[in-house]
Amino acid sequence: MQKTACYIHIPFCDHKCIYCDFYSIITSDNVQSFLKCLKKEIEHYSAIYSEKRELISIYFGGGTPSLMEPDYISEIINNIRENFNVKKNAEITLETNPGTISLEKFKMFHALGVNRISIGVQSFDNDELKFLTRIHDSETAIKTVNYAMEASFENISFDLIFNLPGQTKSKWIKNLEQAVKLPIKHISAYSLILERGTILNKMVLDGKVKIADEDYDAELYETTIELLTSNGFYQYEVSNFAKPGFECTHNNAYWHYTDYFGFGTSAHSFVNGKRWWNLSSLKMYIDKIEKSGDAIAGSEIISSEKAMDEYIMLDLRSSGLNIKMLENRFGNKGIEWLKNKYSYFELLKNQDFVIKNDEIIKLTSKGYAICDEILAEIL
């Protein structure tokens, strides 16, 4: 059975934050039409690809998937199970935002098979939350995490953002200290990224908001690694930290170049060396699905050269480049690439940026801090 991940994009949201560039819409129109088309899309790809594939994860992102009623999410999960071979105890993640979900609703999601919760906390500082135009405050964020625990979720994750405008180092440390006090098993800590087309990006371009420089960003990042790793979390990807055994199966599928399906508006898929992506507009998605069963906006066949670059990049960003697996997957090309980069990796090893032996090349915490520079040099 070929292991494959599955992503479901639910576009509905109650509010658009200034930094967000994911496709989302603030309306309840077409909620049922979307569900009907989503199921049709799943059935369409099942007819083509379901044989000899096992889904190891189902991830509901958005938007705010938890705005949907539990029966709505249940209908999607059941449809996937009817059309694909889903691994027993597969990881099923549901994204949610504080202030949009109750304890009772958490319990209902747990009862229908969701076994991992990802909460969009972003900050425990009320001024920062207000700047980000989040609808919740710090108290609500903490309450939401505790609700998830009370509802019997063992695998709880949340997101935090650092290097916000005016964020001091002490303020970021308080965020992290609050995070590790909570009953969570996973933290995604991201540096603020200015995405084109967002309100925040325009504010920066207009000079209304100033972002700190790269050196300060790196300082906050190194602080993040030190504090989280000293509190029982280990870094298994550039921005992700987990308690042992609670790495995100779904995200690991992306980082280890495993095939994945993406269903719903704007979702991306990567199967058998081909990548394709869906239309973002909900109306266009529905129209296309009704006519043809798919909603493809564009696609590309990944060349062997690009595949090797992507594979190396993703492995180095996460758990490290396994030398034997590289050779098995890419043959002589992989062997030649390693020979050509030998002296550079030796230099990185001597400077404590990588751990390198006959089996693996892995970034150290110090190496993660300059990951982009290293990748730019070798790819």
Side-chain angles (χ1 to χ4, degrees), residues 16 18-22 193-202 205:
K16 187 73 173 178
I18 61 170
Y19 61 91
C20 179
D21 75 325
F22 293 111
I193 297 173
L194 294 175
E195 300 288 3
R196 206 166 135 194
T198 61
I199 296 169
L200 179 58
N201 190 52
K202 186 174 188 313
L205 291 174

Side-chain angles (χ1 to χ4, degrees), residues 39-40 42-47 50-51 55 58 74-86:
K39 289 160 68 175
K40 187 174 180 179
I42 292 166
E43 289 157 11
H44 171 83
Y45 285 104
S46 168
S50 66
E51 279 189 34
L55 298 190
I58 301 171
S74 180
E75 199 167 331
I76 298 169
I77 293 174
N78 289 338
N79 184 264
I80 293 170
R81 290 189 183 279
E82 287 165 8
N83 286 281
F84 287 93
N85 178 31
V86 179

Side-chain angles (χ1 to χ4, degrees), residues 22-231:
F22 293 111
Y23 177 69
S24 62
I25 49 175
I26 309 167
T27 176
S28 58
D29 295 346
N30 292 314
V31 166
Q32 290 305 317
S33 297
F34 173 73
L35 177 61
K36 181 181 175 183
C37 287
L38 182 63
K39 289 160 68 175
K40 187 174 180 179
E41 184 186 16
I42 292 166
E43 289 157 11
H44 171 83
Y45 285 104
S46 168
I48 303 170
Y49 292 111
S50 66
E51 279 189 34
K52 298 181 180 177
R53 284 187 181 271
E54 180 183 56
L55 298 190
I56 57 173
S57 66
I58 301 171
Y59 190 105
F60 289 90
T64 308
S66 61
L67 285 176
M68 304 295 100
E69 291 303 315
D71 285 348
Y72 192 96
I73 298 298
S74 180
E75 199 167 331
I76 298 169
I77 293 174
N78 289 338
N79 184 264
I80 293 170
R81 290 189 183 279
E82 287 165 8
N83 286 281
F84 287 93
N85 178 31
V86 179
K87 181 184 176 183
K88 186 181 179 182
N89 299 323
E91 179 186 271
I92 303 179
T93 301
L94 185 81
E95 287 186 348
T96 185
N97 286 322
T100 67
I101 189 166
S102 64
L103 172 58
E104 191 57 38
K105 202 170 183 182
F106 265 132
K107 288 179 178 178
M108 288 190 280
F109 283 129
H110 187 270
L112 63 85
V114 175
N115 53 29
R116 184 175 184 272
I117 291 294
S118 178
I119 304 170
V121 171
Q122 315 311 356
S123 176
F124 291 103
D125 183 274
N126 286 333
D127 289 337
E128 291 180 347
L129 290 168
K130 188 175 180 181
F131 169 78
L132 292 170
T133 65
R134 303 296 284 171
I135 65 167
H136 66 274
D137 58 16
S138 178
E139 184 182 352
T140 305
I142 294 168
K143 190 182 292 184
T144 303
V145 174
N146 288 324
Y147 278 165
M149 183 196 66
E150 288 177 49
S152 300
F153 283 101
E154 185 184 8
N155 197 348
I156 304 170
S157 173
F158 59 61
D159 298 346
L160 292 174
I161 302 176
F162 62 87
N163 201 14
L164 297 173
Q167 184 181 65
T168 61
K169 187 175 179 180
S170 63
K171 191 176 279 192
W172 176 237
I173 289 172
K174 284 181 182 177
N175 267 306
L176 294 172
E177 289 174 341
Q178 175 60 71
V180 299
K181 290 177 186 175
L182 293 169
I184 57 166
K185 297 294 194 294
H186 188 281
I187 296 176
S188 297
Y190 302 102
S191 171
L192 179 66
I193 297 173
L194 294 175
E195 300 288 3
R196 206 166 135 194
T198 61
I199 296 169
L200 179 58
N201 190 52
K202 186 174 188 313
M203 291 167 71
V204 172
L205 291 174
D206 290 345
K208 295 177 182 176
V209 170
K210 187 177 179 182
I211 304 295
D213 62 25
E214 290 181 4
D215 289 341
Y216 185 66
D217 185 87
E219 185 180 344
L220 293 181
Y221 180 57
E222 288 168 11
T223 299
T224 305
I225 295 171
E226 289 169 12
L227 196 149
L228 292 181
T229 54
S230 66
N231 279 276

Side-chain angles (χ1 to χ4, degrees), residues 3 236 263 369:
K3 297 184 185 306
Y236 72 104
F263 301 126

